[in-house]
Amino acid sequence: MALRLGLLNFKARDNSALGRFWADALGWDVFSDGPAVTGAGPVGFVWPDPVALCVCVVAVPDPETVRYRVHLDLATTSAAHQAELVARLKELGATPADVGQGDVPWTVLADPEGNVFCVLEPREIYRDTGPIAAVVVDCADPRAMARFWDEAMDWTLHEVSDDHARLRSAKGAGPYLEFIRTTPGATTVWNRVHLDLLPYPGDDQAAEVARLQALGATPADVGQGDASWVVLADPEGNEFCVLAPA
């Protein structure tokens, strides 16, 4: 049995506007745009792709103003590219954000609904990830989170320390999933992003949910009601969804 990271799920007041922002920001296509859900993925993306990650923006009447602990790091290839990307993102509606980062080589921005993300300076490790360098999760214990997520998904653990852990698809494609140790309550920035995991065709969703619970995940209720997906929380309380096989 195995799971893969299939979606970055954003909650939004205006799914169409935020979905189009992220499609334009990443140079992707909008592959679906309904009254409540907008999907954006790499050019030519067809759901479900066995490797590619896409963005799903879901409209909710009043998105909660809590701080989810997930954000995106965007990759650049040169200092000029970084400056050009920051300028273009601001034209699309992004705004500068201060999360206490101080004097750093990356730029912190917020999307039109206040979700913070970073535009990184060029880094060799991210040269082949595509526009998203990493999906970053703040946590108290990167080692423990790495143990859980390494077992939860069929991704490969690349490095782990007391301060940082990094995983990537076993196919060596797309962004990294990273866990960064942070001080609890260090920031109060609003962020409504979570991960959606996808079983492979033929795998059993209920069996995967049971496996995750044996690893330390717990059931979570976010008001989902009777849905085709199952909401769980990882060992540090970060909610994520296990979708039905596509």
Side-chain angles (χ1 to χ4, degrees), residues 123-174:
R123 300 184 191 181
E124 179 63 21
I125 191 171
Y126 302 132
R127 61 182 174 79
D128 63 349
T129 61
I132 301 176
V135 180
V136 182
V137 182
D138 295 344
C139 66
D141 187 344
R143 289 187 182 277
M145 290 289 274
R147 284 194 296 270
F148 172 81
W149 285 96
D150 186 36
E151 293 289 338
M153 300 196 302
D154 65 344
W155 283 27
T156 299
L157 182 62
H158 282 256
E159 62 179 273
V160 61
S161 70
D162 290 341
D163 295 320
H164 181 229
R166 177 182 284 127
L167 300 92
R168 195 183 190 193
S169 166
K171 298 182 184 298

Side-chain angles (χ1 to χ4, degrees), residues 54-67:
C54 69
V55 166
C56 180
V57 184
V58 180
V60 293
D62 186 20
E64 62 266 41
T65 55
V66 299
R67 181 178 180 263

Side-chain angles (χ1 to χ4, degrees), residues 142-226:
R143 289 187 182 277
M145 290 289 274
R147 284 194 296 270
F148 172 81
W149 285 96
D150 186 36
E151 293 289 338
M153 300 196 302
D154 65 344
W155 283 27
T156 299
L157 182 62
H158 282 256
E159 62 179 273
V160 61
S161 70
D162 290 341
D163 295 320
H164 181 229
R166 177 182 284 127
L167 300 92
R168 195 183 190 193
S169 166
K171 298 182 184 298
Y176 288 85
L177 176 62
E178 302 188 1
F179 299 94
I180 305 295
R181 187 171 66 85
T182 56
T183 303
T187 59
T188 56
V189 175
W190 192 13
N191 196 323
R192 300 183 305 265
V193 185
H194 70 262
L195 308 179
D196 284 351
L197 304 186
L198 185 66
Y200 284 94
D203 284 351
D204 183 79
Q205 181 190 34
E208 287 291 348
V209 168
R211 184 177 67 85
L212 291 167
Q213 289 180 282
L215 293 173
T218 53
D221 186 350
V222 293
Q224 66 268 24
D226 185 16

